[in-house]
Amino acid sequence: MGTPRRRILRSRWTSGPAIPLDGPVLVAFTDFTARGHGQALAVALAGMRLRRTWPTTPGAVGMWLWADPGRRRSGSVSVWADERGLKEFTGRPDHVRIVRAHRGRGELRSARREFEEFDPDAVW
């Protein structure tokens, strides 16, 4: 038997209040690898709770959540109108609580990239 295929799950696109115009957008990518499956589930559920606030998150164009359950990984791809919106979101009390609750229980990687315009296929 061959190696099992990796299965990445992706949520539907969740729009934020910022409308992407014909200009650049900032894309933030997060990738959390949990030490155990229980921790992976807890992080994914926390992400889904934050996702409910997306339609009213200032500066947010939209986002996807993703998960690779077999590897205990999950994260997000979020699109922002500007740096200010991203900074305000990461400083929000609900976001800070989640980050602190899971600190030391896995490995978090993140990256940012600016795109000249918003193209969902290119961003994903």
PDB file of all heavy atoms in Angstrom, residues 74 81 86 116:
ATOM      1  N   SER A  74      -3.662  23.120  12.168  1.00  0.00           N
ATOM      2  CA  SER A  74      -4.771  23.958  11.738  1.00  0.00           C
ATOM      3  C   SER A  74      -4.293  25.396  11.698  1.00  0.00           C
ATOM      4  O   SER A  74      -3.241  25.735  12.245  1.00  0.00           O
ATOM      5  CB  SER A  74      -5.974  23.823  12.669  1.00  0.00           C
ATOM      6  OG  SER A  74      -5.662  24.295  13.955  1.00  0.00           O
ATOM      7  N   ALA A  81      -7.490  44.720   4.740  1.00  0.00           N
ATOM      8  CA  ALA A  81      -7.396  45.941   3.940  1.00  0.00           C
ATOM      9  C   ALA A  81      -6.073  46.651   4.217  1.00  0.00           C
ATOM     10  O   ALA A  81      -5.524  47.309   3.332  1.00  0.00           O
ATOM     11  CB  ALA A  81      -8.574  46.868   4.245  1.00  0.00           C
ATOM     12  N   LEU A  86      -5.163  44.196  10.933  1.00  0.00           N
ATOM     13  CA  LEU A  86      -4.511  42.986  11.441  1.00  0.00           C
ATOM     14  C   LEU A  86      -3.984  43.209  12.854  1.00  0.00           C
ATOM     15  O   LEU A  86      -4.188  42.383  13.742  1.00  0.00           O
ATOM     16  CB  LEU A  86      -3.389  42.548  10.497  1.00  0.00           C
ATOM     17  CG  LEU A  86      -2.529  41.378  10.965  1.00  0.00           C
ATOM     18  CD1 LEU A  86      -3.364  40.126  11.208  1.00  0.00           C
ATOM     19  CD2 LEU A  86      -1.419  41.104   9.946  1.00  0.00           C
ATOM     20  N   GLU A 116      -0.928  42.642  -4.737  1.00  0.00           N
ATOM     21  CA  GLU A 116      -1.276  43.876  -5.442  1.00  0.00           C
ATOM     22  C   GLU A 116      -2.784  44.066  -5.554  1.00  0.00           C
ATOM     23  O   GLU A 116      -3.258  45.198  -5.610  1.00  0.00           O
ATOM     24  CB  GLU A 116      -0.647  43.914  -6.833  1.00  0.00           C
ATOM     25  CG  GLU A 116       0.871  44.071  -6.795  1.00  0.00           C
ATOM     26  CD  GLU A 116       1.284  45.356  -6.089  1.00  0.00           C
ATOM     27  OE1 GLU A 116       0.678  46.419  -6.349  1.00  0.00           O
ATOM     28  OE2 GLU A 116       2.213  45.292  -5.259  1.00  0.00           O
TER      29      GLU A 116
END
